[in-house]
Amino acid sequence: VGPAAWVSYLIGAVLMFFNCFTFAQVGAVLPVSGANYVLCSKAVNGTWGFMYVWGFLLSNSFLFPIMSRTMANYLAVFFPFVGDHITVFALIIFLITVGINLLGMKVSTMIQNVCVILLIVVIVIFSLTGVTHADWSNFHPLFPGGFMPVLMGAISTYYAFAGVNCIIEMSGDIKNPRRNIPLTVFISFAIVVVIYIGMCIGLIALMHPDDLVGVARPAVTASETVMPGWFSYFIALAAIAASWTTLNGISAGMSRLIYVLGDVSFLPKVFAKLNKRNVPWAAFVLLGIWGTLYILFNATIMQYVNISSFYLLFIALLIAVGTLLYGVTHLGRKDPGYQVIDVSSDKQAQSFAGSITFQYYFTGSSSEIKKELNELQAFYASTLLRIGELLDAETEYEGMNNLATLNA
């Protein structure tokens, strides 16, 4: 790829930008844990859901060794002996992450926020330094091997945006999902794009791509060319923080999907059990075992990256097709006199957790009626996985006739 590495990330970001609309919409209208699985398995069919489950689990599982090994690699900046035992320390880092998640979402979120702030500050300083001390000749020629390697490189960058999908898997834990999920998706996506493109430009501005080949810690090496030696420790710390935020995010997202699979008896019911801190502990135990096997598997980082990116593209396709087939865009539509989740036959009613049909008709455009409507929709969405009988055949709500059929 050479000097055009940032172009590869830009192409990958453009592709992911359109996926963000789908992810944000699904998370907003299906505010439940494992929302994408619910959409694929119930709005389309069980086979579609099965493919999504294994695509999601496989793609994100490959990120365990990628992020854990990267953290161990940069940890060697502080403790050189770690470099001789990368696999061992990668495993320790991963298991510590699992342990932190077992303490509850508040603890992991607090650490996540600190890491993000540290990462942004260091990346901004590094990128600005790279631009102000740039050797712009490093960018010429921009495409030494042609454009095709840059285009192919864009596929490998897809793993960098894996955390966006994990947000949707945790929809059930997010307050005011209709507002906060779209905001979270697009804000986090923008931050990731700026970080990766900024890092690429900063690196190439300071060092020629040929000089970066085979360098174990390129950001640290590049910073040492123009910055004080002590700043390289902050670069290493930021790299660790960046990797941990991804590792933490995918662990949380995968645990929620496993929890839902246990709740609907796709997996043993034990995986749907929560500890005192409302954490699916059995799901994290499974992830601990699963991740350990992946980390011990002998492969290079780029091999993991390429495999993970392929599966991430695959599940993005499943979600996009599922969204189109079901017409989920109508769920959030607010028309002047009515809001409809259309069902024209009994067969079409087989959706979400068994079968669920919402068809609301109400008169006028009263804000109170709309508020009630949204509350009802949120209530049904959050409980549809546990409904076991026919409910609410016809109920009056201040001028609004609610016709809702649930047969889970």
Side-chain angles (χ1 to χ4, degrees):
V1 177
W6 64 273
V7 179
S8 292
Y9 276 103
L10 183 61
I11 295 172
V14 171
L15 295 175
M16 190 63 193
F17 177 72
F18 294 104
N19 283 332
C20 284
F21 282 98
T22 302
F23 292 153
Q25 197 168 44
V26 172
V29 300
L30 278 176
V32 295
S33 295
N36 285 328
Y37 166 71
V38 173
L39 173 72
C40 290
S41 63
K42 304 305 178 182
V44 185
N45 55 50
T47 302
W48 212 254
F50 178 84
M51 289 192 297
Y52 171 78
V53 166
W54 289 107
F56 179 84
L57 293 178
L58 285 172
S59 63
N60 287 279
S61 295
F62 284 108
L63 292 173
F64 289 151
I66 293 172
M67 298 305 160
S68 298
R69 288 176 179 274
T70 300
M71 291 174 68
N73 184 37
Y74 277 95
L75 188 62
V77 173
F78 303 93
F79 309 102
F81 65 88
V82 173
D84 298 325
H85 309 282
I86 292 294
T87 300
V88 173
F89 282 94
L91 182 58
I92 293 173
I93 290 169
F94 170 70
L95 294 177
I96 290 175
T97 302
V98 172
I100 290 173
N101 275 275
L102 288 173
L103 297 178
M105 181 167 283
K106 287 185 178 180
V107 176
S108 61
T109 300
M110 180 181 65
I111 300 174
Q112 182 98 354
N113 291 338
V114 172
C115 288
V116 170
I117 292 172
L118 171 65
L119 175 62
I120 292 175
V121 171
V122 173
I123 293 301
V124 168
I125 295 174
F126 178 82
S127 300
L128 291 177
T129 302
V131 171
T132 55
H133 293 79
D135 181 356
W136 298 111
S137 65
N138 291 343
F139 289 90
H140 301 288
L142 187 60
F143 305 111
F147 188 72
M148 187 55 67
V150 177
L151 189 60
M152 296 302 295
I155 298 175
S156 296
T157 67
Y158 207 78
Y159 84 97
F161 309 107
V164 175
N165 192 19
C166 292
I167 295 172
I168 312 307
E169 297 303 328
M170 297 186 291
S171 298
D173 298 306
I174 297 176
K175 295 181 180 179
N176 193 8
R178 193 175 286 270
R179 172 184 178 274
N180 291 335
I181 288 180
L183 283 176
T184 303
V185 166
F186 284 103
I187 291 174
S188 60
F189 171 73
I191 291 173
V192 170
V193 171
V194 171
I195 287 173
Y196 277 99
I197 293 180
M199 277 295 295
C200 284
I201 293 175
L203 279 171
I204 298 169
L206 294 175
M207 293 184 66
H208 193 276
D210 292 340
D211 296 329
L212 292 171
V213 176
V215 176
R217 293 176 283 274
V220 172
T221 303
S223 69
E224 290 174 344
T225 61
V226 294
M227 297 178 180
W230 54 265
F231 190 77
S232 62
Y233 291 104
F234 284 97
I235 293 290
L237 195 59
I240 293 172
S243 300
W244 191 84
T245 56
T246 302
L247 182 62
N248 179 59
I250 61 175
S251 298
M254 289 178 69
S255 71
R256 268 57 183 183
L257 178 57
I258 293 173
Y259 165 79
V260 171
L261 296 177
D263 197 41
V264 299
S265 299
F266 187 95
L267 291 176
K269 283 287 186 181
V270 66
F271 293 110
K273 291 187 177 181
L274 305 174
N275 64 13
K276 294 180 180 179
R277 294 179 174 84
N278 206 34
V279 174
W281 63 268
F284 274 110
V285 171
L286 177 61
L287 284 182
I289 298 172
W290 194 322
T292 297
L293 296 177
Y294 272 80
I295 292 171
L296 294 177
F297 183 71
N298 187 23
T300 66
I301 291 294
M302 281 310 301
Q303 286 175 320
Y304 285 127
V305 167
N306 291 331
I307 296 173
S308 178
S309 296
F310 170 78
Y311 280 111
L312 286 168
L313 285 166
F314 174 66
I315 64 173
L317 175 65
L318 292 178
I319 296 168
V321 173
T323 302
L324 288 173
L325 290 178
Y326 186 71
V328 75
T329 52
H330 295 292
L331 289 172
R333 187 177 64 189
K334 292 184 179 180
D335 290 333
Y338 63 90
Q339 178 161 335
V340 178
I341 299 176
D342 187 33
V343 171
S344 56
S345 70
D346 291 338
K347 187 175 181 180
Q348 285 179 305
Q350 303 302 317
S351 59
F352 297 147
S355 61
I356 176 170
T357 302
F358 290 123
Q359 191 165 12
Y360 295 117
Y361 291 91
F362 57 93
T363 58
S365 58
S366 165
S367 60
E368 287 299 318
I369 293 177
K370 287 187 176 182
K371 180 180 178 182
E372 247 180 78
L373 172 62
N374 289 335
E375 289 177 352
L376 282 168
Q377 183 170 309
F379 168 75
Y380 286 124
S382 63
T383 58
L384 58 89
L385 293 176
R386 298 176 180 80
I387 298 298
E389 58 185 343
L390 189 65
L391 295 177
D392 205 10
E394 182 173 354
T395 308
E396 298 285 339
Y397 292 99
E398 297 182 6
M400 173 183 67
N401 289 324
N402 168 35
L403 304 176
T405 303
L406 294 88
N407 186 17

